[in-house]
């Protein structure tokens, strides 16, 4: 099939908020520095839902969504030397070119060439889509478009992983779980015995809690407006649950009272700017560190008093848990293989590709953390 167009099934988003349509599409061969992947498993992330609903961004349709997945390399384009057909891989929504200042820095994973671009619906090599139907282009999403049996991605957005890793499990490490876990382990860096507050207990927040658990935190305080998340959060190491609705004073004051002046670390995973401010203001003076993970509305402003910084609190932001996609994600998969990390508890549903719209229903009803979609069913 190498060098030829492949006809396969894809779930196409044709208009905002309408069910995806399973259609036969044509997938062109990979061009320079691209690879064509056979997707075996994909999962639904809230980012897919957000762009499917087309709320607050430039809508682009028809489009093939999907960015959390696992598959194998089908063919490689010109110039690709580090991947070959048959390699087991995770496509990643952001990349690592290996050449720019960010890639050469130990401190950054924000590649100049391949960092996330939510507006782009084409490949960067030639500004064209590799997907079409009846001669009409279908747009890409996040450079991955994994809701298709075959997809074309830039080789810098592909993590080559352990050939023994089960793709139906580790596919969920390609976005949300690595984002949350990395925010705690790589950025907040709690020491053993510290207290950690996690704002928002969706999949990313629970992964952040799991990171705190792995780091040996003594108290992990989960904060969420949904009381039904309290019980499930215990599986991820959360020791105490706080619902801001149950209190008549600001949540940062509630947490300060619980922790003798504030938590040692906090990780914010909601994207709500008020929660971001609370996450910063609830850390202890002198050594407290707050990390922002959630993505706010583009016009939101973060307001706090400068004295909070002068009293030696630190505020940090993170993107994709500070993991470099090609360099670091294979190591996260190894953590799973070595039983240092459990991903099964994040996977609440498994369905076949023909039922993909059910995954959206589960997510919208708040019933799922991760729904894994088997492409050959």
């Amino acid at each position: 099939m190498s060098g030829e167009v492949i006809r396969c099934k894809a779930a196409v988003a044709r208009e905002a908020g309408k069910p995806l349509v399973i259609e036969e599409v044509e997938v062109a061969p990979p061009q320079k520095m691209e690879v064509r992947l056979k997707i075996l498993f994909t999962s639904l992330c809230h980012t897919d839902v957000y762009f499917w609903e087309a709320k607050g961004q430039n809508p682009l349709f028809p489009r093939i969504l999907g960015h959390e997945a696992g598959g194998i390399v089908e063919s490689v384009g010109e110039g690709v030397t580090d991947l070959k057909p048959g390699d087991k891989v995770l496509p990643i929504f952001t990349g690592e070119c290996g050449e720019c200042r960010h890639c050469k820095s130990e401190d950054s994973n924000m590649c100049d060439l391949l960092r996330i671009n939510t507006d782009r619906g084409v490949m960067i090599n030639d500004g064209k889509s590799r997907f079409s139907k009846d001669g009409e282009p279908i747009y890409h999403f996040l450079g991955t478009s994994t809701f298709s049996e075959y997809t074309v991605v830039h080789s810098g957005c592909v993590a080559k992983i352990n050939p023994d890793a089960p793709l139906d499990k580790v596919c969920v490490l390609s976005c949300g779980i690595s984002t949350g876990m990395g925010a705690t382990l790589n950025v907040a860096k709690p020491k053993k015995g510290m207290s950690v507050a996690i704002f928002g207990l969706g999949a990313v927040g629970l992964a952040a809690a799991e990171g705190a658990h792995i780091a040996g935190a003594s108290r992990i305080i989960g904060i969420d407006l949904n009381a039904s998340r309290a019980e499930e959060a215990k599986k991820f190491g959360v020791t105490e649950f706080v619902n801001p609705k149950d209190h008549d004073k600001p949540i940062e004051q509630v947490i300060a009272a619980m922790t003798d002046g504030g938590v040692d670390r906090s990780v914010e995973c909601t994207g709500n700017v008020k929660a971001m401010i609370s996450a910063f203001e609830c850390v202890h003076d002198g050594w407290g560190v707050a990390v922002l993970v959630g993505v706010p509305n583009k016009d939101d402003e973060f307001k706090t008093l400068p004295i909070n910084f002068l009293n030696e609190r630190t505020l940090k932001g993170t993107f994709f848990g500070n993991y470099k996609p090609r360099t670091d994600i294979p190591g996260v998969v190894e953590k799973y293989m070595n039983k240092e990390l459990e991903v099964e508890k994040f996977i609440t549903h498994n369905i076949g590709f023909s039922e993909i719209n059910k995954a959206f229903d589960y997510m919208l009803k708040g019933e799922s953390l991760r729904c894994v979609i088997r492409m050959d069913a």
Side-chain angles (χ1 to χ4, degrees):
M1 304 291 280
S2 180
E4 296 176 26
V5 169
I6 287 179
R7 285 184 175 77
C8 70
K9 284 189 294 191
V12 182
R14 291 220 161 256
E15 49 186 311
K18 294 283 169 66
L20 305 188
V21 185
I22 305 269
E23 304 180 17
E24 185 176 90
V25 300
E26 296 187 338
V27 185
Q31 303 298 307
K32 188 176 180 181
M33 298 310 291
E34 296 171 3
V35 294
R36 188 161 56 185
L37 307 179
K38 180 177 187 180
I39 300 295
L40 298 177
F41 295 92
T42 187
S43 55
L44 183 68
C45 166
H46 194 265
T47 307
D48 298 306
V49 177
Y50 182 76
F51 281 86
W52 169 72
E53 290 176 327
K55 290 179 179 171
Q57 81 276 343
N58 303 323
L60 193 56
F61 297 99
R63 201 172 201 183
I64 297 173
L65 299 170
H67 65 282
E68 259 192 18
I72 54 175
V73 176
E74 178 271 334
S75 59
V76 302
E78 178 196 336
V80 177
T81 55
D82 54 342
L83 295 163
K84 63 185 185 305
D87 283 345
K88 196 175 270 193
V89 296
L90 302 182
I92 313 278
F93 64 92
T94 186
E96 183 182 350
C97 73
E99 299 297 322
C100 69
R101 285 185 305 171
H102 286 278
C103 287
K104 288 183 171 172
S105 161
E106 287 179 15
D107 300 322
S108 175
N109 64 344
M110 300 190 74
C111 175
D112 277 332
L113 181 68
L114 300 172
R115 76 171 65 174
I116 185 171
N117 183 320
T118 58
D119 290 334
R120 189 190 298 129
V122 293
M123 299 303 287
I124 57 175
N125 181 41
D126 60 0
K128 293 177 182 167
S129 174
R130 303 286 172 262
F131 297 109
S132 62
K133 183 176 181 179
D134 302 329
E136 292 295 313
I138 300 172
Y139 294 110
H140 294 253
F141 176 64
L142 298 185
T144 51
S145 290
T146 61
F147 294 166
S148 174
E149 292 176 319
Y150 288 87
T151 188
V152 176
V153 301
H154 192 286
S155 62
C157 301
V158 177
K160 181 179 170 181
I161 62 166
N162 187 326
D164 296 327
L167 288 176
D168 60 327
K169 306 291 191 289
V170 299
C171 64
V172 298
L173 295 175
S174 62
C175 175
I177 294 171
S178 295
T179 294
M181 190 175 73
T184 306
L185 292 175
N186 299 335
V187 189
K189 296 181 179 171
K191 299 184 175 110
K192 199 172 166 43
M194 280 189 165
S195 59
V196 181
I198 309 288
F199 285 74
L201 298 176
V204 175
L206 292 172
E210 182 74 8
H213 180 63
I214 290 168
S218 60
R219 292 177 75 182
I220 303 173
I221 302 167
I223 298 112
D224 202 290
L225 294 167
N226 183 345
S228 68
R229 289 186 165 161
E231 196 55 39
E232 184 172 47
K234 291 177 184 171
K235 292 184 213 163
F236 300 86
V238 171
T239 57
E240 296 147 86
F241 178 81
V242 180
N243 187 336
K245 287 191 218 164
D246 297 341
H247 300 273
D248 52 10
K249 59 183 179 183
I251 190 67
E252 59 272 22
Q253 291 177 22
V254 175
I255 291 169
M258 289 169 66
T259 54
D260 190 22
V263 285
D264 301 310
R265 302 286 185 265
S266 73
V267 185
E268 195 290 322
C269 304
T270 72
N272 177 302
V273 74
K274 288 193 174 124
M276 293 179 173
I277 295 165
S278 296
F280 175 56
E281 294 183 354
C282 81
V283 299
H284 207 288
D285 58 6
W287 60 81
V289 178
V291 177
L292 305 185
V293 182
V295 180
N297 293 325
K298 67 178 191 304
D299 298 326
D300 284 343
E301 292 185 347
F302 184 103
K303 293 181 180 170
T304 191
L305 297 173
I307 192 70
N308 290 324
F309 292 99
L310 297 172
N311 286 340
E312 298 175 12
R313 292 178 184 87
T314 300
L315 179 65
K316 293 183 170 186
T318 177
F319 167 66
F320 192 44
N322 280 34
Y323 288 118
K324 288 180 184 276
R326 289 159 62 195
T327 304
D328 298 331
I329 293 305
V332 178
V333 172
E334 289 310 300
K335 271 188 193 293
Y336 168 77
M337 298 299 283
N338 297 333
K339 299 191 165 45
E340 296 164 42
L341 164 66
E342 192 187 332
V343 299
E344 284 83 355
K345 59 192 173 186
F346 289 95
I347 300 169
T348 49
H349 298 76
N350 289 275
I351 61 172
F353 189 38
S354 59
E355 304 177 298
I356 189 167
N357 289 300
K358 278 189 185 171
F360 284 78
D361 294 338
Y362 296 141
M363 178 82 70
L364 291 167
K365 288 178 186 162
E367 292 172 4
S368 65
L369 288 174
R370 280 295 180 266
C371 177
V372 171
I373 299 153
R374 186 186 180 99
M375 298 304 288
D376 63 0

